[in-house]
Amino acid sequence: MEYINAFWVGGLICAICQILLERTKMMPGRIMVLLVCTGAVLSFLGLYQPFAEYAGAGASVPLLGFGHLLYKGVREAVDESGFLGLFQGGLKAGAVGTSAALIFAYLASFLFQPKMKK
């Protein structure tokens, strides 16, 4: 049942994003920012953790999970370092995922000969 919940929740998130792309004038970057901010707000309200336990990877893999990760990192850093934690928490929490994305994108650029759009 975990796989089914992850599949339909992740699919619903993707469908909502596709509807936003098709029916509004929102650009993809703004939709991605909306997802990250939604994940952070759900975490702040205490709603993300029960949602993630129900949906599993359907909730944690999309950008909602990244927003939750950033919020959690900032909250922990503020508890440890006070005000300066606002600036360092998100960077620490998201560093591994961001670094991996950059490294794999760089390696993929060697394999697939990227071209500029005309």
Side-chain angles (χ1 to χ4, degrees):
M1 196 64 182
E2 291 177 27
Y3 294 120
I4 293 171
N5 289 339
F7 179 78
W8 80 263
V9 170
L12 181 65
I13 293 169
C14 292
I16 290 170
C17 292
Q18 190 64 40
I19 290 168
L20 288 173
L21 277 171
E22 300 283 333
R23 302 284 180 184
T24 67
K25 294 183 180 183
M26 290 179 74
M27 301 298 287
R30 290 186 183 204
I31 293 172
M32 290 177 9
V33 169
L34 178 69
L35 287 170
V36 172
C37 291
T38 301
V41 169
L42 287 174
S43 295
F44 174 74
L45 297 174
L47 300 174
Y48 184 84
Q49 196 60 40
F51 174 63
E53 288 173 7
Y54 173 76
S60 62
V61 172
L63 288 169
L64 289 173
F66 186 64
H68 169 69
L69 178 75
L70 291 176
Y71 173 77
K72 198 164 86 170
V74 168
R75 189 183 66 214
E76 290 172 3
V78 166
D79 289 343
E80 291 175 11
S81 304
F83 180 73
L84 290 178
L86 287 173
F87 304 105
Q88 67 187 14
L91 294 173
K92 273 184 173 179
V96 173
T98 304
S99 298
L102 290 171
I103 290 168
F104 288 122
Y106 185 69
L107 293 174
S109 72
F110 285 122
L111 296 174
F112 297 108
Q113 302 297 322
K115 296 181 180 84
M116 296 296 290
K117 288 186 176 181
K118 293 181 183 182

